[in-house]
Every structure is written in structure tokens, then in C-alpha cells.
Amino acid sequence: MSEKQNLQGRRWLLGITLMAAEQAPRILQVCAATEGDDAALNRALCAELDISPIDAEVILSLQVRRFSPGSIARIRADLAHIERRLEVVADA
């Protein structure tokens, strides 16, 4: 895997994690209101947040500590760092 592909994958993962942290109350409401199995919960999140099933699976796998203010700040900083690195890799 190239550095660019690695950075793009990390950017996607951090972006989904940040979105989930910023939408935590909404996600928790969907989880509390959805009856059924994990597949039903995945479909409910997809519908509520207009995301793909793989994005929903990432959100469902997150630890709640990722929603703390300190963690959100670190995610934002990591995401900004990756964006800057991708600009350098794209120019190379």
C-alpha cells in the first residue's frame, strides 16, 4: 500500500470518527430506538445519517471515549495533519 493510500484510508476513518463524535446524541438516540439485531441497527444508522453500511459499522465499533472533548480535539488535529501530508504526497 502506498503512503497516499494509507493516508487516504486514515483520513476516511478519522472523518467518520469525527462525524460520529459530533453527532453522538443523535447516534445514541438511533441505537436506543432501534429494535432488532446488529443489521437492523446498521440500516437505521445508514438511513438516519445518510452513510454507507461500512461507515455505520465503523461508528458501531467506536468506543464511547472517542466522543470526549479531548479525543475530538486530537481527531481534528490528526485529520488536519493527514490533509497536509496528502497535499505533499499529491504534489510529489
Side-chain angles (χ1 to χ4, degrees):
M1 177 182 289
S2 73
E3 180 180 13
K4 182 177 180 180
Q5 289 171 316
N6 184 36
L7 289 169
Q8 288 172 329
R10 287 185 59 210
R11 176 178 61 186
W12 166 76
L13 185 57
L14 287 169
I16 292 299
T17 303
L18 181 58
M19 187 272 298
E22 292 173 341
Q23 297 288 325
R26 190 171 167 196
I27 291 168
L28 293 174
Q29 285 177 337
V30 170
C31 290
T34 302
E35 305 241 352
D37 60 6
D38 288 346
L41 187 52
N42 187 299
R43 287 189 302 273
L45 279 178
C46 287
E48 178 68 23
L49 301 174
D50 191 29
I51 58 176
S52 73
I54 191 131
D55 292 346
E57 193 58 38
V58 168
I59 290 169
L60 292 170
S61 298
L62 289 174
Q63 297 175 345
V64 175
R65 73 179 63 133
R66 298 291 238 159
F67 300 163
S68 70
S71 181
I72 291 170
R74 283 189 299 278
I75 293 166
R76 283 192 178 117
D78 288 347
L79 193 54
H81 174 75
I82 287 172
E83 292 291 347
R84 287 189 303 273
R85 293 278 314 261
L86 276 168
E87 288 174 10
V88 170
V89 170
D91 293 338

